[in-house]
Amino acid sequence: CLAAHCRPSRLRRLYHIATETRKALEPGGADPEKEEQFVKIVEDTINEVIRDGFDKKALEAAITSQEFSYREADFGYMPKGIVYAMMTLDDWNYSDEDIFNSFTQNKIYKKLREAINSDYFERILKERVLENNHKTILKTVPKEGLAREKEEKFQKTLDEFKASLSKKEINEIIKSTKALAKYQIAPDSKKALATIPSLTLSDIDRKGEGFPYEERQISGKKEMFCKVPSNRIAYFNVFFDASSLPQRLIPAFSIMKILMGMLDTKNYKYGDLINETNIVSGNLNINTSVFKNATDTNKYKFVYEVRGKAFYEFLPRTFELIKEILFTTDFSDKKRIKERLEQSRTGIQAYMQSEGHSVAIQRSLSYFSETEALSDTLSGLAQYRFLTEVLDSFDEKIDGLIEQFNEINRILLTKNNVSFMVGCEEEGLKYFEPEAEKIIDMLDDGECVENSFSLVNGKLNEGLASSSTVSYAVAAGNYRKAGLPYTGSLSVLSNILNTEFLWNKVRIQGGAYGVWASFGRSGDSYFTSYRDPHIKDTFKVYKDSEKFIRNYRGNQKTIDKYIITSIGAIDTPLTPSVKTGRTFSYYMAGVTDEDIQKSREELLATTTKTVKEMSSYIKAVMDNDVRCVVAGEEMLKKESDCLKEIVQLC
C-alpha cells in the first residue's frame, strides 16, 4: 500500500538513486553515500500518507489479496492437514487465546474492510513505523575481489595450520580423513534399515488418478473444462497459439510479455490497474509458455496466455481488466517502459546468481532441443542478453520494438488463435463462458499460419562466469535420440541415483549442497549439482553412474522402497489449482490418462534387472557430451579443459 501512495516523482528519485551507479557496483546496487536520501524519501512518504490518508482502492486490493490466499488455503505440495496442525500448535504454544483462531480469520477481514473508511491504517503506520524508535539502517556494500581475498586468506590459514603440525599430527589427520571417507561410503546395516517402518507394494493402488477434462466449444472456439471442487474459484487460461509468429519477432516477444499489465491502458494508469487487478483477482499473469511434446523434444506448443484465478462473482470485472490489458495497453510511455525493463533485468540478474543450476539446465538443453532453445529465448539467458542489448541502446531501439509489439498483437490476437481452459465446479461455467465469448467477439478473424523456428545453436558447452565461489555443473542429453523409449521405471532410476550414488559421491564426499538426475518423458535428461566446490570431479561422477547402475547390487526389497517413494511423489494430493494446471500441461504435451496409467504399471513392475538394464539410458545421455557450468571465473579457468568457452553470465 505504501508503494502505491508514493508520488511518481519520489518513486523515480528512489529508482534513479538505486540504478545510477549500476555500472560501478554489483547488479541492482545503489550509491551507499545516498543513504540519507533513501531514508528521507521513505519518511516523507510515510508522513504524506499519514496526512492525506491511504488510497482506499490500494487498501481494498491489499485486503482482498490476503483474503484470497486465506480462503484458497493453497499450501502447494504441503498437505493441508500438516499445515493446519502446525498453525494450531503455534497458537497452543504461544497464545492464551482459542487455539483454532487460525481457522476463523474471516471476521478479521471483515473488520479490516470496515476500517478502510476510518484512520485505522494511518494510525498503525504512525505508531508502529514512524514513531518506532527501534529502527535499523543496514547497508551491504560490495567490495571488488572480496571472494578471492577470502579464499586466499582461508588458504593461508590452512597453510599456516599445516606448517604448525608435526609429522605425527599430519598422519593422524590423514588417518581420520580416510576413516571418515570409509564411513561415508559404508552402507547402513540390514539391522539398522530394518528399524525403518515402510509401506509395501500391496498397500499401493494399482490404478492411478487420471486428469480428465471435457472438451467443449464457446462460440466455435475450443474450451477445456476441468471439473474440480474449487470453493467457488475459477482457475482459467485464455491462450493464443503463438506458432503463427515469425522467428524474427520472438526476441521482441520476450520483452513485450514483461510489460503487459505494467503499463498504462486506455482507462487505467498502471498503478491503478495493478490495484484493480488485486481487488478482483487472486492472480492475473500475462506470459508465454512452451509445452514440450511428450515424445519429441523438437516438437512443442507455443502460446501467449493470460493465466489467472478469481471468485465466480468477480469474473466479469476480471475479464474487463484482461480486455483492457490485451487490447488497449499503451506502449507510448518510453520512460515507463525503460523503468520496467530495468526492474526486470535486476530481478533476472538476482535469479541467475542464486539459481545457477536452473540457468545451466535450461541452457544445456537448449544446445540440442528446439523446445528448450525457444524457452531460453523467451525466458532464459538468451532473453536476458537481448534485454541487456535493448537497454544498452534503448533510445535507438525502442521505436522499432514498439512497432514489433503492435505487430505481435495484430498477429496473435485473432479468433483463429484463441482457446480457453478453466478449472472449477460446473456452476462456475455460467460465470466464465459469457466472459470468454466477449473476448472472442473483440478478436479479428486472422489467418491460419504456422511458422517453424530454428533456434538451436549446437553444442556450446559454456562456462557461465558469475560472482559465485561454487559451481552448478550440468550434463545433459536425450535418450530418445538413441532409440530408447520412456518408461515409468525411470523414476526409480532417478531415486537410486539421487539418494545413493550421486548423493554419496557429490554431496557427502564432494561437499556440494545438492545433486540430482532427471529423466524427462520427451527424452530430455540432465544431471546437475547445486553449490558444488568441484567441476571436473562431478562430471566424472556423472559418467561413472552408468557403471554403478549396470552393476547395481540392490535386492528387490530395496527396489520396492524406491518404487514406493516414486509413487508417493505421484500420488501427492493436488490442490484444485495444481490439478487444473497439470491437466492443461498434459493436454498441451499430448499426454493421455492411458499414458499415465502405463507409466504407473511400468513403475510398479520395476525389478533389479530392470534397473541394471537402464544403465543404457545414462550412457545415452552421457554420450551427448553436453555440459554447462555456472561458477566463478577463477574456478572456471581452473576447470576450463572440460568446457568449450567461458562467457559472462550477467
Side-chain angles (χ1 to χ4, degrees), residues 107-143:
K107 58 187 178 183
I108 293 178
Y109 293 111
K110 182 180 179 181
K111 289 181 179 179
L112 290 175
R113 291 183 186 282
E114 292 171 351
I116 288 177
N117 294 316
S118 71
D119 66 345
Y120 176 73
F121 295 97
E122 290 79 8
R123 283 190 286 109
I124 289 178
L125 187 60
K126 181 180 179 180
E127 296 168 7
R128 302 297 178 88
V129 180
L130 188 65
E131 296 177 351
N132 191 334
N133 295 323
H134 302 283
K135 176 175 69 178
T136 298
I137 301 168
L138 177 64
K139 294 186 290 185
T140 56
V141 183
K143 178 181 177 183

Side-chain angles (χ1 to χ4, degrees), residues 38-56:
F38 268 100
V39 175
K40 187 175 187 306
I41 291 172
V42 171
E43 290 182 346
D44 286 350
T45 302
I46 291 174
N47 275 307
E48 182 182 310
V49 173
I50 292 171
R51 183 185 70 246
D52 300 338
F54 277 106
D55 182 288
K56 307 305 181 187

Side-chain angles (χ1 to χ4, degrees), residues 38-39 73 78 113-114 184 186 233 252 270 290 294 301 375 391 508 554 570 583 615 636:
F38 268 100
V39 175
M78 192 77 162
R113 291 183 186 282
E114 292 171 351
Q184 288 174 327
I233 298 171
Y270 70 87
V290 183
K301 290 185 178 179
S375 296
L391 287 171
I508 302 299
I570 294 170
T583 301
S615 64
L636 288 172

Side-chain angles (χ1 to χ4, degrees), residues 346-359 362 379:
T346 299
I348 295 171
Q349 287 170 334
Y351 165 79
M352 291 195 300
Q353 293 286 356
S354 64
E355 303 293 326
H357 64 295
S358 298
V359 176
Q362 185 180 64
S379 305

Side-chain angles (χ1 to χ4, degrees), residues 37-103:
Q37 292 184 47
F38 268 100
V39 175
K40 187 175 187 306
I41 291 172
V42 171
E43 290 182 346
D44 286 350
T45 302
I46 291 174
N47 275 307
E48 182 182 310
V49 173
I50 292 171
R51 183 185 70 246
D52 300 338
F54 277 106
D55 182 288
K56 307 305 181 187
K57 282 187 174 292
L59 285 173
E60 187 180 2
I63 295 168
T64 298
S65 176
Q66 292 298 313
E67 185 176 12
F68 199 102
S69 297
Y70 173 74
R71 286 177 177 269
E72 189 177 29
D74 184 353
F75 306 113
Y77 291 100
M78 192 77 162
K80 287 185 179 181
I82 293 177
V83 176
Y84 287 152
M86 292 167 62
M87 291 164 62
T88 304
L89 185 62
D90 281 346
D91 286 328
W92 201 345
N93 284 335
Y94 305 113
S95 175
D96 293 329
E97 299 179 9
D98 181 5
I99 65 170
F100 300 112
N101 184 53
S102 299
F103 310 129

Side-chain angles (χ1 to χ4, degrees), residues 200-472:
T200 65
L201 289 187
S202 61
D203 297 315
I204 305 299
D205 192 339
R206 309 296 295 188
K207 176 72 174 175
E209 183 179 359
F211 293 85
Y213 63 88
E214 181 183 346
E215 194 165 310
R216 304 160 65 105
Q217 295 283 315
I218 304 177
S219 297
K221 303 305 168 186
K222 189 182 296 183
E223 176 195 47
M224 279 76 71
F225 169 53
C226 180
K227 188 175 182 180
V228 290
S230 63
N231 198 20
R232 296 185 62 80
I233 298 171
Y235 303 94
F236 62 84
N237 292 61
V238 181
F239 59 100
F240 299 86
D241 185 348
S243 62
S244 54
L245 277 182
Q247 184 169 323
R248 63 179 175 81
L249 292 177
I250 300 300
F253 198 22
S254 76
I255 299 293
M256 190 183 93
K257 69 174 187 175
I258 296 172
L259 302 172
M260 301 305 291
M262 296 295 171
L263 301 179
D264 295 348
T265 63
K266 180 180 179 181
N267 297 305
Y268 293 95
K269 294 294 184 182
Y270 70 87
D272 296 330
L273 180 67
I274 293 170
N275 282 338
E276 289 293 328
T277 300
N278 288 336
I279 287 171
V280 303
S281 173
N283 179 49
L284 196 62
N285 182 37
I286 294 88
N287 212 328
T288 58
S289 291
V290 183
F291 297 92
K292 188 181 302 183
N293 183 273
T295 60
D296 189 341
T297 189
N298 291 320
K299 294 181 180 179
Y300 50 81
K301 290 185 178 179
F302 171 32
V303 300
Y304 178 40
E305 66 175 341
V306 182
R307 182 175 297 197
K309 55 187 177 183
F311 295 120
Y312 294 166
E313 299 78 12
F314 287 169
L315 280 170
R317 291 171 65 187
T318 301
F319 269 74
E320 284 301 317
L321 295 176
I322 291 172
K323 289 182 286 186
E324 189 80 19
I325 295 169
L326 288 179
F327 301 113
T328 74
T329 291
D330 181 6
F331 294 112
S332 66
D333 188 348
K334 298 176 185 177
K335 188 171 186 179
R336 170 58 187 163
I337 288 175
K338 187 174 184 180
E339 287 178 353
R340 174 59 188 150
L341 295 183
E342 287 278 14
Q343 292 166 359
S344 181
R345 179 167 69 171
T346 299
I348 295 171
Q349 287 170 334
Y351 165 79
M352 291 195 300
Q353 293 286 356
S354 64
E355 303 293 326
H357 64 295
S358 298
V359 176
I361 289 168
Q362 185 180 64
R363 189 67 177 172
S364 61
L365 293 174
S366 75
Y367 298 159
F368 58 83
S369 165
E370 284 292 349
T371 306
E372 295 294 344
L374 177 57
S375 296
D376 188 54
T377 303
L378 290 165
S379 305
L381 184 58
Q383 180 214 22
Y384 170 78
R385 289 174 175 171
F386 180 71
L387 174 59
T388 298
E389 180 186 323
V390 168
L391 287 171
D392 287 348
S393 52
F394 184 80
D395 292 339
E396 292 80 21
K397 294 183 180 295
I398 184 57
D399 289 334
L401 265 180
I402 291 174
E403 288 180 9
Q404 290 184 316
F405 296 160
N406 291 322
E407 184 180 359
I408 289 168
N409 276 336
R410 286 195 301 271
I411 293 172
L412 295 187
L413 301 183
T414 70
K415 287 183 172 68
N416 289 325
N417 289 329
V418 71
S419 299
F420 303 90
M421 171 79 180
V422 60
C424 59
E425 294 107 345
E426 190 81 34
E427 180 192 358
L429 292 177
K430 70 180 182 182
Y431 294 88
F432 177 80
E433 291 182 343
E435 303 309 317
E437 289 176 348
K438 293 175 185 177
I439 293 283
I440 296 170
D441 290 342
M442 294 183 71
L443 298 171
D444 295 328
D445 290 332
E447 299 180 15
C448 293
V449 178
E450 185 170 343
N451 292 308
S452 60
F453 308 126
S454 180
L455 297 165
V456 168
N457 290 316
K459 189 164 58 179
L460 300 179
N461 285 14
E462 300 157 300
L464 305 174
S466 70
S467 60
S468 177
T469 57
V470 292
S471 73
Y472 304 87

